[in-house]
Amino acid sequence: RNGAFEPAGAAKITGRALLLVHGTFSKSEMYLDELAATPEGRDFLAHALKAYDAVLAFEHPTLSVSPWINALDLEAATAHVSATLDVIAHSRGGLVTA
């Protein structure tokens, strides 16, 4: 909201949701920064905010924790999500979501 991610809390998320998972040496805000940098990125983000009931990002440590632990944390973080998920992941984020 307003160009920033907010904690999702424990609210039940239904419908359709977009999940963004960053890669090694990165952070979730990278998606907002990079998408805001081009007209095409801004258009994509505006479309996503209209097309999805929620746009989620999973913040995870990339070197100090194994991808397996990140995956378990992702499972726990999305336990309240019953929405159909579309995923955009980069680098290690793909490994974590797989």
Side-chain angles (χ1 to χ4, degrees), residues 9-52:
K12 187 107 174 129
I13 297 173
T14 60
R16 273 182 81 205
L18 177 62
L19 173 64
L20 306 171
V21 185
H22 67 80
T24 305
F25 301 117
S26 193
K27 57 185 179 175
S28 295
E29 289 79 17
M30 173 274 308
Y31 284 106
L32 297 177
D33 294 342
E34 295 299 320
L35 289 171
T38 66
E40 295 83 4
R42 290 188 294 275
D43 290 346
F44 171 79
L45 188 55
H47 173 75
L49 291 172
K50 289 179 187 173
Y52 290 97

Side-chain angles (χ1 to χ4, degrees), residues 40-80:
E40 295 83 4
R42 290 188 294 275
D43 290 346
F44 171 79
L45 188 55
H47 173 75
L49 291 172
K50 289 179 187 173
Y52 290 97
D53 297 297
V55 176
L56 308 170
F58 178 62
E59 189 67 39
H60 59 98
T62 62
L63 295 178
S64 62
V65 174
S66 79
W68 176 250
I69 298 299
N70 290 148
L72 293 174
D73 290 343
L74 175 59
E75 181 180 35
T78 57
H80 65 287

